Amino acid sequence: MDVVTKFFSLKQSEADRALGLETASEYRERWISIRVMYYTGFLVYVAFGIITTSAWPYLRSLDPDAEKAFLTYVFAIQSVVQLVFSPIFGWWNNKLPSVRKPMLFFLVAYVAGQILYALIEEIDAYEKYMLLISRGLFGIASVSCTIYRAYMSSATTVAERTKAMSFLSLAQTCGLLAGSAVHPLFSLLGEDGFSFIGLFRVNMYTAVGWFCAVLGCVNLILMMPFVFKDQHIALKEAMNGQDVTATKDVWKSMELKYLPITLMVAAFALLMFVYSAIQTLLSPIALDQFGWSNEDSLFYLGILMTVGALISCILFLLLDPMCKRFTESNVLVYGAMFALFVSQLLLIPFGSDPITSVANEGNFTDGNSTITTIPGCPATQEWCQWIPPIGKVQFTISYTLLCVSFSIGTTLSQAVFSKLLGPRPQGTWMALLTCAGSAARILGPGSVTIYVLFGTYWTFGAGTILAGLVFLWMWFYRDSLQPAKPAVTAELAEELKVLNSTKLRQ
């Protein structure tokens, strides 16, 4: 409860006031602006969560002849656009004194994409391609995560960064949960819906677009100068109140540790890759390994994913206190990377009995009744005849550990990454992190092919080896995961006082 109270409080603490970096009013303005970025993260993930479940039926209603292969393009275009445009906008952000211009650009693209999504039926031409364009616009809007991550790095002190990043991750997860929870309410409108003053039809699909567009307009208002004010306290902290003309000299004097930086990018990409791979494999595993029906699969996996999301929310709230009790490097190494390694290891089946319920492909007739496909591992997957199944308890524990590792790992890898860079402009660097995550999300679903062709030993054995190697790499270099410091020369020694309030392992 104390964590929640502190989140809503905008009162400057005595410790922050003692630093002498800002006044009480500047502190309030800074944290209002940070909360606007929380809302932006929430907004982007609401749209992602709310449209994910409705994209396929909406596509079929727009174009009954559309194939599932086209749905792959609808989902992939966001990551592809993000991969292409993140470096460009990251570089542009570094050249600007304020993040307001790029953020307004992204929000306009977001609102335009949602309105297009809602009006495709009215356009009545090239419907599936209009849907693809609307998702492309959302992909451009999702590049904003590069900008707001960079802003969070410059608008927080080293001591505040982990808490700020964890709350940002919490906002994003809440967005996914809210999107999943709100969509069933719109389903009450049905496919027919109603006509809005004779201009356009609002139904269970188009209402989603209008809802997200309204949230986007609220975000546009919040980005106006009377609410959002740029604050760059990270540089103030590094300079400790010195003359502003020396700002570039300060961050240029900070040596970049390329090996730890590369390690953080690799860890972030691996977490994204494994998480997207497992999310894609959830249904095939439930159907093949457990012999569940489609209905049982949707029900039980829905419960599992909801519980996983709630675990993530709790961890985001507890992450900052954990990093104060233990060192950040230890929480990252053991709480994220070791947990990821164990989660993959647990998915490797053990035992001697093969999967017994091998499915017969297609429907067949028995007398006057038609019998649907028997649940189980398809006969086309020959490995099902000699590889044992994954146990339900084994799978549940593995998925729980994956949620723990993903929540802790993605948040701390971003926080440590920004601390390693120091107070320098981080737009291009955060774009690198975003590109790594986007590429991982594009490649992750490809694990389904390995699963179908070679089975669980190859799929999760490879995941175990990758996670183990990154865990050992990070464990070996954990002492180097320290914030960047100015290279204090004899000339600068009297001018700079470096505030080393980090909780990284010393």
Side-chain angles (χ1 to χ4, degrees):
M1 192 66 184
D2 184 52
V3 175
V4 177
T5 303
K6 287 182 179 179
F7 174 79
F8 289 103
S9 175
L10 291 173
K11 184 178 179 181
Q12 188 179 25
S13 66
E14 291 296 332
D16 289 327
R17 189 177 297 110
L19 293 175
L21 300 175
E22 59 188 346
T23 63
S25 62
E26 288 173 336
Y27 177 89
R28 181 181 177 83
E29 290 174 352
R30 179 166 65 90
W31 279 99
I32 288 175
S33 299
I34 289 173
R35 281 159 173 72
V36 172
M37 291 303 182
Y38 291 160
Y39 178 78
T40 305
F42 173 84
L43 175 74
V44 172
Y45 278 76
V46 160
F48 181 78
I50 201 172
I51 289 174
T52 297
T53 54
S54 63
W56 173 239
Y58 188 34
L59 176 60
R60 291 300 301 273
S61 72
L62 294 171
D63 186 353
D65 297 326
E67 299 178 350
K68 286 185 178 178
F70 191 81
L71 185 65
T72 304
Y73 304 142
V74 172
F75 281 112
I77 192 170
Q78 175 197 343
S79 296
V80 172
V81 169
Q82 198 177 59
L83 183 65
V84 172
F85 286 98
S86 286
I88 298 172
F89 284 100
W91 174 84
W92 182 40
N93 180 69
N94 284 352
K95 304 297 180 181
L96 297 172
S98 171
V99 299
R100 183 175 288 105
K101 286 184 180 179
M103 290 302 298
L104 289 176
F105 175 84
F106 294 134
L107 289 171
V108 169
Y110 178 92
V111 173
Q114 301 304 325
I115 292 176
L116 176 60
Y117 185 89
L119 292 177
I120 294 174
E121 290 182 343
E122 309 303 324
I123 297 174
D124 196 24
Y126 305 104
E127 288 89 347
K128 67 179 185 180
Y129 297 107
M130 291 294 104
L131 179 61
L132 192 65
I133 292 172
S134 73
R135 300 309 294 159
L137 287 170
F138 176 71
I140 292 175
S142 68
V143 178
S144 61
C145 68
T146 296
I147 307 303
Y148 62 61
R149 284 172 185 160
Y151 178 76
M152 297 290 282
S153 299
S154 67
T156 55
T157 64
V158 173
E160 295 170 338
R161 191 116 357 118
T162 298
K163 180 178 72 173
M165 289 294 187
S166 63
F167 277 121
L168 178 62
S169 298
L170 174 63
Q172 293 171 341
T173 303
C174 288
L176 286 175
L177 286 173
S180 301
V182 167
H183 191 267
L185 298 177
F186 291 123
S187 66
L188 299 176
L189 296 172
E191 292 197 15
D192 294 331
F194 63 92
S195 177
F196 183 76
I197 61 176
L199 294 177
F200 49 81
R201 189 162 64 104
V202 178
N203 62 13
M204 60 187 293
Y205 304 126
T206 60
V208 167
W210 291 118
F211 175 73
C212 292
V214 170
L215 293 181
C217 290
V218 172
N219 207 160
L220 280 169
I221 295 172
L222 293 176
M223 285 304 301
M224 293 295 106
F226 57 84
V227 178
F228 181 88
K229 294 178 174 61
D230 282 87
Q231 300 286 343
H232 303 283
I233 199 169
L235 191 56
K236 288 183 180 180
E237 181 184 32
M239 294 185 64
N240 193 24
Q242 299 301 311
D243 186 357
V244 75
T245 58
T247 57
K248 189 172 289 189
D249 293 333
V250 171
W251 63 258
K252 279 189 174 182
S253 71
M254 295 188 173
E255 179 185 0
L256 284 175
K257 302 176 182 178
Y258 289 103
L259 186 60
I261 287 172
T262 304
L263 175 56
M264 289 301 100
V265 174
F268 183 78
L270 178 64
L271 287 160
M272 286 291 184
F273 174 82
V274 173
Y275 189 77
S276 62
I278 297 300
Q279 292 291 92
T280 309
L281 285 168
L282 283 177
S283 292
I285 288 174
L287 297 172
D288 296 352
Q289 306 288 320
F290 308 149
W292 287 345
S293 65
N294 287 329
E295 292 77 9
D296 288 340
S297 173
L298 288 173
F299 178 74
Y300 291 116
L301 290 181
I303 294 175
L304 183 66
M305 293 173 69
T306 302
V307 172
L310 292 174
I311 290 172
S312 296
C313 291
I314 293 170
L315 284 171
F316 293 140
L317 290 171
L318 297 178
L319 194 54
D320 186 53
M322 284 169 57
C323 291
K324 289 177 179 177
R325 182 174 180 83
F326 308 100
T327 59
E328 268 187 6
S329 58
N330 280 337
V331 175
L332 180 58
V333 171
Y334 298 108
M337 303 317 299
F338 183 70
L340 181 67
F341 167 73
V342 175
S343 76
Q344 292 300 287
L345 185 64
L346 283 175
L347 286 176
I348 299 177
F350 56 87
S352 56
D353 297 328
I355 302 172
T356 54
S357 57
V358 178
N360 296 318
E361 295 183 311
N363 298 342
F364 60 93
T365 304
D366 181 13
N368 295 324
S369 61
T370 299
I371 302 175
T372 57
T373 303
I374 301 172
C377 202
T380 52
Q381 297 174 184
E382 296 181 0
W383 53 267
C384 295
Q385 301 176 29
W386 60 274
I387 294 181
I390 301 172
K392 294 184 181 69
V393 174
Q394 180 184 356
F395 177 74
T396 303
I397 296 173
S398 171
Y399 186 78
T400 303
L401 285 174
L402 176 65
C403 291
V404 170
S405 65
F406 183 79
S407 305
I408 294 175
T410 53
T411 302
L412 284 186
S413 59
Q414 292 177 67
V416 174
F417 182 76
S418 70
K419 292 177 183 181
L420 289 168
L421 295 174
R424 59 175 41 81
Q426 297 187 9
T428 306
W429 286 100
M430 285 297 173
L432 173 64
L433 202 66
T434 301
C435 288
S438 298
R441 286 196 303 271
I442 294 171
L443 295 174
S447 59
V448 174
T449 303
I450 300 175
Y451 172 82
V452 170
L453 294 178
F454 303 107
T456 49
Y457 283 163
W458 277 94
T459 304
F460 303 118
T464 302
I465 292 172
L466 279 175
L469 289 174
V470 174
F471 163 67
L472 290 174
W473 184 16
M474 188 176 293
W475 181 84
F476 188 78
Y477 286 102
R478 66 193 186 281
D479 290 334
S480 64
L481 304 180
Q482 301 284 346
K485 298 179 181 179
V488 181
T489 62
E491 188 176 333
L492 285 174
E494 296 299 323
E495 299 178 7
L496 296 176
K497 177 183 177 183
V498 179
L499 301 177
N500 186 20
S501 53
T502 181
K503 295 298 180 183
L504 283 171
R505 179 188 167 107
Q506 298 298 326

